[in-house]
Amino acid sequence: AAAAAAAASPVLDEDGALRIIQSVLSYSPDPSTAEAALRDAVSRVDPNPEGPAKKALLRPVSRAAWAAAACGLSALAEKWAGRAAASQDGGTRIWSELTRIALKLATLPAVHGHGAATGSSVSLSPSSLRIRISALDAL
């Protein structure tokens, strides 16, 4: 019976998943390569990505969400951030929320103003800050 239970439980590879995620963050591959690598990483820690997260290791899923957002893979980032938000671990939920904030900020238009003189695409002008604060408040 124990052997059958062991066979039914997939072997999860958290270290392998985190190495892949770090590689994507470090080397910034093109989006299709990044997506394939991140999907591989998540598959190592989430045996049922479309079902309940009961047996998933959500810490690497939250990090994959962040990496996906950093690579411009918004749909995957949102999907994985949503999945990781169900975690009991505070750190995992924080990564999930940070990802959602980054996605929200990425959708805002660039606001040029006082910061434009310094070469910054986003200024720290009061109007720019108000736009970003209202976007964060909406989360």
Side-chain angles (χ1 to χ4, degrees):
S9 296
V11 176
L12 303 179
D13 181 13
E14 183 172 14
D15 290 337
L18 290 171
R19 277 193 299 276
I20 292 168
I21 294 163
Q22 185 58 51
S23 174
V24 168
L25 288 169
S26 296
Y27 299 110
S28 303
D30 65 87
S32 62
T33 303
E35 180 175 351
L38 292 171
R39 285 184 183 277
D40 178 32
V42 169
S43 73
R44 293 171 183 242
V45 294
D46 192 350
N48 189 13
E50 302 304 323
K54 186 176 180 181
K55 294 183 181 183
L57 299 176
L58 295 176
R59 183 172 74 109
V61 173
S62 71
R63 302 292 169 73
W66 177 261
C71 293
L73 304 169
S74 301
L76 277 180
E78 180 57 43
K79 176 183 176 181
W80 291 334
R83 193 153 176 82
S87 175
Q88 297 298 312
D89 176 63
T92 299
R93 289 193 315 273
I94 288 170
W95 277 106
S96 173
E97 284 304 309
L98 287 173
T99 299
R100 288 181 161 162
I101 291 167
L103 290 170
K104 181 70 173 174
L105 290 174
T107 65
L108 296 176
V111 180
H112 299 282
H114 301 292
T118 63
S120 170
S121 64
V122 177
S123 77
L124 295 179
S125 68
S127 63
S128 174
L129 292 174
R130 276 193 299 277
I131 289 169
R132 277 142 181 82
I133 289 169
S134 69
L136 293 174
D137 286 343
L139 290 175

